[in-house]
Amino acid sequence: MGRRDADSMKVTGGWLTAPGTQAVFDVYAKHGFALYAVGGCVRNSLLNERVSDVDMSSNARPELASKFLTDDGFKVIPTGIDHGTITVISGGTPYEITTFRTDVETDGRRAVVAFAETLEDDAYRRDFTINALYADRFGQIIDPVNGLEDIQRRRVRFIGDGAERIREDYLRTLRFFRFHARFAAPDQGFETDALSAISENLQGLESLSRERIGGELIKLLSVTDPTTAIMTMAQIGVLNTILPGCDPKALGLLIHFEQELGLSPEPIRRLGSFADEDLAKTLRLSKSQMRRMTSLRTAAIGTKPAAELGYHLKTEPALSALALRSAFFETPLHSDLHGQVARGAQ
């Protein structure tokens, strides 16, 4: 499905029809420039998922756009103006607007970009087809890279050559697994070409900062069920590259116990199922994240009964530690675990 086939497709949502959004479209049109919503807001609307941020793309250069927006009474923040990005506040909502761009040079961590003239050029520098869908002010979709078909199939696919996309930014390897875990259909396997491209470029992950790796891994572990993604990362060498020596075999069981106990997805609990404190430190986690991981793992590996953990840790941390304990030792949860913890927590 290409651009012409998308002519009858529209996206809808309160984020699009909001007065603040339409006011931004108005001012760009007034000054003769194109403006499109792009990326997550379009993708999530098509998948009936919540839209939290509205990103936009335009052929207006950032300095010129900043001037006419300011002249028309909008607050403009030069978020990343050297890279073509400004943030416009309209109706109390921030809109991140980036000028059409194309990559000139990349080293796997950062790119030298140049402004592009067309939406198609802008689309081909993005990572996955489902992230390169554009919509005008009426919701009309423009689909330069056949992303609509992948949305409909709930498939995550690199734009063009996967190896090239990865070498432009090696973090895309981890993003690929996160997007697959979040958006792909449960029966939608991983594309073999994508996995081959990832396997051939594992060394590039070593060039990334530990903060970027840690941040992306935390996002992946926040997805409802990242088990298949994490296990596949382990099978093809990604996980051992970023966390040497870790063993994710307890993760799937932990997530099963989370569901039994009614615990919400929580990345530090899940990270603690396959990484010890020393490995976790390499991800440059915050002090509070490290304290939580240490506390949960210490309680999980220990022998204190549920009521005592409830007394010392309170309800949610105690249940988290007990879920971890059962996952580590492959033992079923006690049928009255909630009651035992609650009695201790009183």
Side-chain angles (χ1 to χ4, degrees), residues 210 276-285 290 293-294:
R210 303 307 294 178
D276 61 21
E277 291 86 339
D278 288 338
L279 277 180
K281 285 178 183 176
T282 69
L283 299 175
R284 308 289 195 268
L285 301 179
M290 284 302 306
M293 170 175 276
T294 300

Side-chain angles (χ1 to χ4, degrees), residues 254-270:
L254 170 64
I255 290 174
H256 172 73
F257 291 144
E258 287 177 350
Q259 294 166 350
E260 279 195 27
L261 292 171
L263 294 171
S264 60
E266 201 275 315
I268 298 302
R269 180 198 308 129
R270 292 169 170 189

Side-chain angles (χ1 to χ4, degrees), residues 38-47 49 123 126-134 141-159 175-176 178-185:
V38 65
C41 57
V42 181
R43 177 199 66 223
N44 284 17
S45 293
L46 290 168
L47 292 172
E49 298 215 4
R126 296 177 182 268
D127 49 10
F128 312 117
T129 59
I130 62 172
N131 292 340
L133 290 163
Y134 300 72
I141 291 177
I142 299 93
D143 178 22
V145 295
N146 296 325
L148 276 174
E149 181 179 345
D150 291 327
I151 285 281
Q152 290 162 353
R153 295 182 59 179
R154 296 190 74 99
R155 175 178 63 183
V156 178
R157 188 168 58 88
F158 284 107
I159 294 171
R175 282 171 57 83
F176 173 80
R178 171 163 66 91
F179 277 80
H180 193 282
R182 182 174 175 190
F183 297 116

Side-chain angles (χ1 to χ4, degrees), residues 89-154:
I89 309 299
S90 178
T93 299
Y95 298 85
E96 191 170 279
I97 304 175
T98 302
T99 302
F100 294 159
R101 299 184 299 180
T102 186
D103 290 335
V104 175
E105 181 182 343
T106 61
D107 64 4
R109 292 176 298 168
R110 62 186 68 85
V112 176
V113 300
F115 296 132
E117 297 301 322
T118 69
L119 177 149
E120 284 78 8
D121 288 336
D122 187 73
Y124 276 96
R125 71 172 298 274
R126 296 177 182 268
D127 49 10
F128 312 117
T129 59
I130 62 172
N131 292 340
L133 290 163
Y134 300 72
D136 67 16
R137 66 179 307 162
F138 306 107
Q140 183 67 57
I141 291 177
I142 299 93
D143 178 22
V145 295
N146 296 325
L148 276 174
E149 181 179 345
D150 291 327
I151 285 281
Q152 290 162 353
R153 295 182 59 179
R154 296 190 74 99

Side-chain angles (χ1 to χ4, degrees), residues 143-212:
D143 178 22
V145 295
N146 296 325
L148 276 174
E149 181 179 345
D150 291 327
I151 285 281
Q152 290 162 353
R153 295 182 59 179
R154 296 190 74 99
R155 175 178 63 183
V156 178
R157 188 168 58 88
F158 284 107
I159 294 171
D161 185 280
E164 289 183 13
R165 299 290 80 74
I166 291 167
R167 287 193 288 267
E168 290 165 355
D169 183 354
Y170 289 108
L171 195 68
R172 286 174 172 171
T173 286
L174 302 184
R175 282 171 57 83
F176 173 80
F177 289 104
R178 171 163 66 91
F179 277 80
H180 193 282
R182 182 174 175 190
F183 297 116
D187 60 349
Q188 183 69 252
F190 294 90
E191 283 221 323
T192 55
D193 289 346
L195 294 184
S196 294
I198 288 168
S199 298
E200 293 165 4
N201 289 279
L202 292 177
Q203 76 288 346
L205 291 167
E206 298 170 1
S207 69
L208 297 173
S209 72
R210 303 307 294 178
E211 290 84 357
R212 291 187 78 197

